[in-house]
Amino acid sequence: MRRRDLCSSTQSQALGVRTTTPAFTLNIPSEANHTEQPPAGLGARLQEAGVSILPRRGRPTSTLEKKKKPHLMAEDEPSGALLKPLVFRVDETTPAVVQSVLLERGWNKFDKQEQNAEDWNLYWRTPSFRMAEHNSVKPWQQLNHHPGTTKLTRKDCLAKHLKHMRRMYGTSLYQFIPLTFIMPSDYTKFVAEYFQERQMLGTKHSYWICKPAELSRGRGILIFSDFKDFVFDDMYIVQKYISNPLLIGRYKCDLRIYVCVTGFKPLTIYVYQEGLVRFATEKFDLSNLQNNYAHLTNSSINKSGASYEKIKEVIGHGCKWTLSRFFSYLRSWDVDDLLLWKKIHRMVILTILAIAPSVPFAANCFELFGFDILIDDNLKPWLLEVNYSPALTLDCSTDVLVKRKLVHDIIDLIYLNGLRNEGREASNATHGNSNIDAAKSDRGGLDAHDCLPYDSLSFTSRMYNEDDSVVEKAVSVRPEAAPASQLEGEMSGQDFHLSTREMPQSKSKLRSRHTPHKTLMPYASLFQSHSCKTKTSPCVLSDHGKAPDPQAGNFVLVFPFNEATLGASRNGLNVKRIIQELQKLMNKQHS
Ligand code: ADP
């Protein structure tokens, strides 16, 4: 059976979201194989297709399980091979939505009384794993954290890494983080900057925000203008307060963008095309910096505010929109939301590049980040912070809409990419994991063609034909009726200022867009439709695979984004080369 055929039958079961068919794992009887490694042949190919193979140690995995789930025979597997559901492992920190989605997909919950210690496929928890846990991961297992990623998610570390990148590669690329000082080491620098700015501004105010480096959910934050109000402790950062945020209905908002890194070696980054827009619940007012309901957009703060339940101007009830609703709103004001989205993609890549070379190799793990991005009234996106284990609690209907599908799509994504990517690269990695090498050798040669799915940042789709010639198609991803606009001006160096800080609210066109809550996937669907329509083979990997899948659900691949960056992410990450490619792309966009 060819791999593609296999995918269409078995993988659809293994990944079988939203169907009643359970996902299955292969249980290899002890007579067939006494080792931990699955046999070559169909078993290995099933594993590649996302069907996990669990070892049996001379006894059925669990008698209870046998009772609960019927074992199925694989189509052409050696007799005695048994299929059983995939197994997820949780602890008290695992978000409830993860458990419910996995159960819905037909997975079983790991029960250590009933199952062997290693008989699980995915362990999802909120805190990080110990290095020993990473080292002992089996080829059929996945962990939802990658070691070394907190360098990005601690506010002071993020500032340090981005400052380093700015020094190395120039401020023009790395101008998306507000000016930041790390306390107490940068105290004198901050004081100098503060007073210099005060002198320049004269009677005008300058605004700063002081945030604990390690806390989240808006805890311990102070916004100040007058130096005498500035108090800090160890492990704080002081940052320029973006005092001209884009306002909707006079309310401040920021974006929660979900980013999944399915591997650091080679670097593979997906951005989720849906997300959340979080609103402050009281109107923005610089004359009262103490009002957290007006200045902080954390839903943990705003959901307890008096205005949360009120129907607010333009934004309505609650404090969240979907990202698609936000983009649709921007489009209704003739904003080039596509350009904004490209800038966000670039920001994500540049941020992850800051830590990627120093992240240790680890097999079979992925990381979901929550990027908090504030858009100012020039439509410039600012990175506020990167969240580790972004909240997956379901507080409102918008959360349910976004986060349930997000978890479904993560599962689709990791079972399409995760094991394959890390496994393939493991043999090249200096600190390889023997499990992965074994898994790799088990995958067998596949009759596939390398392909480069698309150039996500320039929105050009490139596919390889059967004869390896490149098919290049410009994908028209500009949303209809979105004329070239201000943002392009900004990209080419001219700062465009919206005439008002707030989008006018009276446009009747806007109202009609606001009321029905639609989920729009402008970019994802365009990528999808294009790649589906192409006559070339879909993104099937060769054994020495080159390109990750371009999309899984609403996740789209943003890195690597062309052949050059694909090459520059193999056998060690060539950051300089990647930056050059990003620069080229920006120049192209400018011209
Ligand atoms: P936390 O981890 O506590 O959520 P954030 O850095 O995300 O910390 O800040 C919390 C909120 O404060 C943000 O959601 C945003 O509304 C506001 N905020 C943070 N930094 C800035 C900034 N530099 N300028 C304007 N608003 C900011």
Side-chain angles (χ1 to χ4, degrees), residues 153 155 178-180 208-209 211-221 223 237 239-245 252-254 256 278 280 284 292 294-302 372 374 382-387:
T153 56
K155 294 179 183 73
L179 179 65
T180 305
W208 297 89
I209 184 165
K211 310 189 267 192
E214 269 193 301
L215 286 188
S216 59
R217 290 181 272 137
R219 288 170 294 175
I221 289 184
I223 301 166
I237 62 158
Q239 197 168 66
K240 197 98 203 59
Y241 185 64
I242 308 298
S243 57
N244 60 332
K252 176 176 170 177
C253 61
D254 73 0
R256 164 59 56 86
R278 298 138 0 126
F284 188 70
N292 283 348
H295 291 280
L296 306 186
T297 51
N298 304 79
S299 39
S300 48
I301 290 180
N302 284 287
D372 288 351
L374 185 129
W382 294 93
L383 178 65
L384 299 184
E385 69 156 341
V386 180
N387 288 278

Side-chain angles (χ1 to χ4, degrees), residues 20 26 73 87 94 108 115 140 173 221 245 260 273 329 341 345 382 449 460 466 472 498 515 517:
T20 47
L26 253 184
M73 298 288 283
V87 176
T94 310
N108 271 356
Q115 284 156 299
W140 56 86
L173 276 178
I221 289 184
C260 190
Q273 306 295 289
Y329 177 85
W341 195 229
H345 280 191
W382 294 93
H449 302 272
T460 302
E466 300 287 310
E472 192 164 320
L498 286 177
T515 19
H517 190 127

Side-chain angles (χ1 to χ4, degrees), residues 45 58 77-78 128 145 155-156 174 230 271 274 303 368 385 400 432 434 439 467 491 496 529 541 548 555 559 585:
R45 283 176 289 139
E77 191 54 32
S128 57
H145 291 296
K155 294 179 183 73
D156 50 353
Y174 281 92
F230 172 45
V271 171
E274 185 54 288
K303 71 183 178 193
L368 177 71
E385 69 156 341
V400 176
S434 57
D467 62 358
M491 286 287 288
F496 181 90
S529 61
L541 294 156
F555 276 107
F559 187 89
L585 210 61

Side-chain angles (χ1 to χ4, degrees), residues 314-335:
V314 186
I315 65 169
H317 169 264
C319 67
K320 280 180 194 165
W321 276 9
T322 59
L323 194 62
S324 45
R325 184 178 177 185
F326 174 75
F327 278 126
S328 158
Y329 177 85
L330 293 186
R331 278 200 300 279
S332 73
W333 288 103
D334 289 345
V335 168

Side-chain angles (χ1 to χ4, degrees), residues 334-350:
D334 289 345
V335 168
D336 187 350
D337 58 325
L338 176 62
L339 189 55
L340 178 61
W341 195 229
K342 283 184 197 175
K343 286 184 188 177
I344 291 174
H345 280 191
R346 211 163 48 219
M347 178 194 282
V348 166
I349 298 170
L350 287 165

